[in-house]
Amino acid sequence: QVQLVESGGGSVQAGGSLRLSCALSGYTYRITYMGWFRQAPGEERKGVAAIYNGIGNTYYADSVKGRFTISQDNAKNTVYLQMNSLKPEDTAMYYCAIQDNYTGSWKLVERYKYWGQGTQVTVSS
């Protein structure tokens, strides 16, 4: 049974930092992109960052470039999202997800096959 378990969310003031973790278990097939998405109330789920498994190429939404960093620890089957200089507009539920085929797109929600349950990030001004 494939499981993606996010952790590390919480409440911080603007300018603060959080590090999200996503631990993968029960999966032994190919992984291409490992991505982080976020969804605020009433909005669509949007791609935040992704990393191409094994190669390490990283991709970011314009809104988080220079503030967020995605990384992975293959030994722990874990992907991280370091979030610095947080802003109130970063407030959302954050999800991690994986693709099992090369689709050429890290941003499209529908290209991801497995999802975690999400972790809430709240940034106050």
Side-chain angles (χ1 to χ4, degrees), residues 10-36:
S11 297
V12 296
Q13 289 191 326
S17 299
L18 286 171
R19 188 175 83 151
L20 306 183
S21 300
C22 174
L24 170 65
S25 63
Y27 187 81
T28 58
Y29 190 54
R30 174 178 56 207
I31 297 173
T32 54
Y33 293 108
M34 303 179 74
W36 284 97

Short mmCIF file of all heavy atoms in Angstrom, two decimals, residues 10-36:
data_model
loop_
_atom_site.label_atom_id
_atom_site.label_comp_id
_atom_site.label_asym_id
_atom_site.label_seq_id
_atom_site.Cartn_x
_atom_site.Cartn_y
_atom_site.Cartn_z
N GLY A 10 2.36 24.08 10.23
CA GLY A 10 2.09 24.79 11.48
C GLY A 10 1.75 26.23 11.22
O GLY A 10 1.49 26.63 10.08
N SER A 11 1.77 27.00 12.29
CA SER A 11 1.45 28.43 12.21
C SER A 11 2.70 29.24 12.52
O SER A 11 3.37 29.00 13.53
CB SER A 11 0.35 28.79 13.22
OG SER A 11 -0.84 28.11 12.92
N VAL A 12 3.00 30.20 11.66
CA VAL A 12 4.16 31.06 11.84
C VAL A 12 3.78 32.48 11.47
O VAL A 12 2.79 32.71 10.77
CB VAL A 12 5.37 30.62 10.99
CG1 VAL A 12 5.86 29.25 11.41
CG2 VAL A 12 5.02 30.65 9.50
N GLN A 13 4.59 33.41 11.92
CA GLN A 13 4.40 34.80 11.51
C GLN A 13 5.12 35.04 10.19
O GLN A 13 6.04 34.32 9.81
CB GLN A 13 4.96 35.72 12.59
CG GLN A 13 4.14 35.74 13.86
CD GLN A 13 4.55 36.84 14.81
OE1 GLN A 13 5.72 37.20 14.88
NE2 GLN A 13 3.58 37.39 15.54
N ALA A 14 4.67 36.07 9.51
CA ALA A 14 5.31 36.44 8.24
C ALA A 14 6.80 36.65 8.45
O ALA A 14 7.22 37.23 9.45
CB ALA A 14 4.66 37.71 7.70
N GLY A 15 7.57 36.14 7.49
CA GLY A 15 9.01 36.20 7.60
C GLY A 15 9.63 34.96 8.20
O GLY A 15 10.86 34.80 8.14
N GLY A 16 8.81 34.12 8.79
CA GLY A 16 9.30 32.92 9.42
C GLY A 16 9.57 31.79 8.43
O GLY A 16 9.42 31.96 7.21
N SER A 17 9.96 30.64 8.98
CA SER A 17 10.32 29.48 8.17
C SER A 17 9.65 28.22 8.68
O SER A 17 9.35 28.11 9.88
CB SER A 17 11.84 29.27 8.19
OG SER A 17 12.54 30.38 7.65
N LEU A 18 9.44 27.30 7.77
CA LEU A 18 8.98 25.96 8.10
C LEU A 18 9.64 24.99 7.15
O LEU A 18 9.98 25.36 6.01
CB LEU A 18 7.46 25.84 7.95
CG LEU A 18 6.57 26.47 9.01
CD1 LEU A 18 5.11 26.42 8.55
CD2 LEU A 18 6.73 25.80 10.34
N ARG A 19 9.81 23.75 7.60
CA ARG A 19 10.29 22.70 6.70
C ARG A 19 9.27 21.58 6.71
O ARG A 19 9.01 20.96 7.74
CB ARG A 19 11.65 22.17 7.11
CG ARG A 19 12.22 21.22 6.06
CD ARG A 19 13.62 20.75 6.36
NE ARG A 19 13.64 19.61 7.27
CZ ARG A 19 14.59 18.67 7.28
NH1 ARG A 19 15.60 18.75 6.44
NH2 ARG A 19 14.54 17.69 8.15
N LEU A 20 8.74 21.32 5.53
CA LEU A 20 7.80 20.23 5.35
C LEU A 20 8.55 18.98 4.94
O LEU A 20 9.54 19.04 4.20
CB LEU A 20 6.76 20.57 4.29
CG LEU A 20 5.98 21.87 4.49
CD1 LEU A 20 4.92 22.01 3.38
CD2 LEU A 20 5.35 21.95 5.85
N SER A 21 8.06 17.84 5.40
CA SER A 21 8.61 16.55 5.02
C SER A 21 7.52 15.69 4.43
O SER A 21 6.36 15.79 4.83
CB SER A 21 9.21 15.84 6.24
OG SER A 21 10.24 16.59 6.82
N CYS A 22 7.91 14.82 3.52
CA CYS A 22 6.97 13.88 2.92
C CYS A 22 7.67 12.54 2.83
O CYS A 22 8.62 12.38 2.06
CB CYS A 22 6.55 14.37 1.54
SG CYS A 22 5.51 13.19 0.65
N ALA A 23 7.19 11.59 3.61
CA ALA A 23 7.79 10.27 3.65
C ALA A 23 6.98 9.30 2.81
O ALA A 23 5.76 9.19 2.97
CB ALA A 23 7.86 9.78 5.09
N LEU A 24 7.66 8.60 1.92
CA LEU A 24 7.04 7.64 1.02
C LEU A 24 7.30 6.23 1.50
O LEU A 24 8.44 5.89 1.86
CB LEU A 24 7.59 7.82 -0.39
CG LEU A 24 7.24 6.76 -1.43
CD1 LEU A 24 5.75 6.77 -1.72
CD2 LEU A 24 8.05 6.98 -2.71
N SER A 25 6.26 5.41 1.51
CA SER A 25 6.43 4.01 1.86
C SER A 25 5.54 3.15 1.00
O SER A 25 4.56 3.63 0.42
CB SER A 25 6.11 3.77 3.34
OG SER A 25 4.76 4.08 3.61
N GLY A 26 5.88 1.87 0.89
CA GLY A 26 5.05 0.92 0.18
C GLY A 26 5.07 1.05 -1.33
O GLY A 26 4.19 0.54 -2.02
N TYR A 27 6.10 1.71 -1.87
CA TYR A 27 6.15 1.94 -3.31
C TYR A 27 7.52 1.57 -3.82
O TYR A 27 8.54 2.05 -3.33
CB TYR A 27 5.86 3.40 -3.61
CG TYR A 27 5.73 3.73 -5.08
CD1 TYR A 27 4.55 3.50 -5.75
CD2 TYR A 27 6.80 4.26 -5.79
CE1 TYR A 27 4.42 3.80 -7.09
CE2 TYR A 27 6.70 4.57 -7.13
CZ TYR A 27 5.49 4.33 -7.79
OH TYR A 27 5.37 4.62 -9.11
N THR A 28 7.56 0.72 -4.84
CA THR A 28 8.85 0.28 -5.35
C THR A 28 8.98 0.48 -6.85
O THR A 28 9.96 0.07 -7.45
CB THR A 28 9.06 -1.21 -5.04
OG1 THR A 28 7.98 -1.97 -5.62
CG2 THR A 28 9.10 -1.45 -3.55
N TYR A 29 8.01 1.09 -7.46
CA TYR A 29 8.02 1.29 -8.91
C TYR A 29 8.78 2.57 -9.23
O TYR A 29 9.32 3.25 -8.35
CB TYR A 29 6.58 1.32 -9.42
CG TYR A 29 6.44 1.28 -10.91
CD1 TYR A 29 7.02 0.27 -11.66
CD2 TYR A 29 5.71 2.26 -11.59
CE1 TYR A 29 6.90 0.25 -13.03
CE2 TYR A 29 5.57 2.24 -12.96
CZ TYR A 29 6.16 1.23 -13.68
OH TYR A 29 6.02 1.22 -15.02
N ARG A 30 8.78 2.95 -10.48
CA ARG A 30 9.47 4.13 -10.94
C ARG A 30 8.82 5.39 -10.39
O ARG A 30 7.61 5.50 -10.31
CB ARG A 30 9.44 4.17 -12.46
CG ARG A 30 10.01 5.45 -13.09
CD ARG A 30 9.96 5.34 -14.60
NE ARG A 30 8.61 5.08 -15.06
CZ ARG A 30 8.31 4.44 -16.18
NH1 ARG A 30 9.28 3.98 -16.95
NH2 ARG A 30 7.07 4.24 -16.53
N ILE A 31 9.66 6.35 -10.03
CA ILE A 31 9.20 7.68 -9.66
C ILE A 31 9.89 8.68 -10.57
O ILE A 31 11.11 8.62 -10.74
CB ILE A 31 9.53 8.01 -8.20
CG1 ILE A 31 8.81 7.06 -7.25
CG2 ILE A 31 9.14 9.46 -7.88
CD1 ILE A 31 9.22 7.24 -5.80
N THR A 32 9.15 9.55 -11.17
CA THR A 32 9.76 10.62 -11.96
C THR A 32 9.74 11.89 -11.12
O THR A 32 10.65 12.15 -10.36
CB THR A 32 9.03 10.80 -13.30
OG1 THR A 32 7.63 10.98 -13.06
CG2 THR A 32 9.25 9.58 -14.18
N TYR A 33 8.69 12.65 -11.20
CA TYR A 33 8.61 13.87 -10.41
C TYR A 33 8.06 13.59 -9.01
O TYR A 33 7.11 12.83 -8.85
CB TYR A 33 7.68 14.89 -11.06
CG TYR A 33 8.20 15.46 -12.37
CD1 TYR A 33 7.62 15.09 -13.58
CD2 TYR A 33 9.24 16.38 -12.39
CE1 TYR A 33 8.08 15.62 -14.77
CE2 TYR A 33 9.70 16.90 -13.58
CZ TYR A 33 9.11 16.51 -14.77
OH TYR A 33 9.57 17.04 -15.94
N MET A 34 8.64 14.24 -8.04
CA MET A 34 8.09 14.31 -6.69
C MET A 34 7.77 15.78 -6.46
O MET A 34 8.65 16.63 -6.56
CB MET A 34 9.09 13.81 -5.66
CG MET A 34 9.56 12.39 -5.94
SD MET A 34 10.77 11.79 -4.73
CE MET A 34 9.70 11.51 -3.32
N GLY A 35 6.50 16.05 -6.20
CA GLY A 35 6.08 17.45 -6.17
C GLY A 35 5.39 17.86 -4.89
O GLY A 35 4.89 17.03 -4.14
N TRP A 36 5.43 19.16 -4.66
CA TRP A 36 4.65 19.78 -3.59
C TRP A 36 3.61 20.70 -4.23
O TRP A 36 3.93 21.47 -5.12
CB TRP A 36 5.54 20.61 -2.67
CG TRP A 36 6.35 19.80 -1.71
CD1 TRP A 36 7.65 19.41 -1.85
CD2 TRP A 36 5.91 19.27 -0.46
NE1 TRP A 36 8.05 18.69 -0.76
CE2 TRP A 36 6.99 18.58 0.11
CE3 TRP A 36 4.71 19.32 0.24
CZ2 TRP A 36 6.91 17.94 1.35
CZ3 TRP A 36 4.62 18.69 1.47
CH2 TRP A 36 5.71 18.00 2.01
#
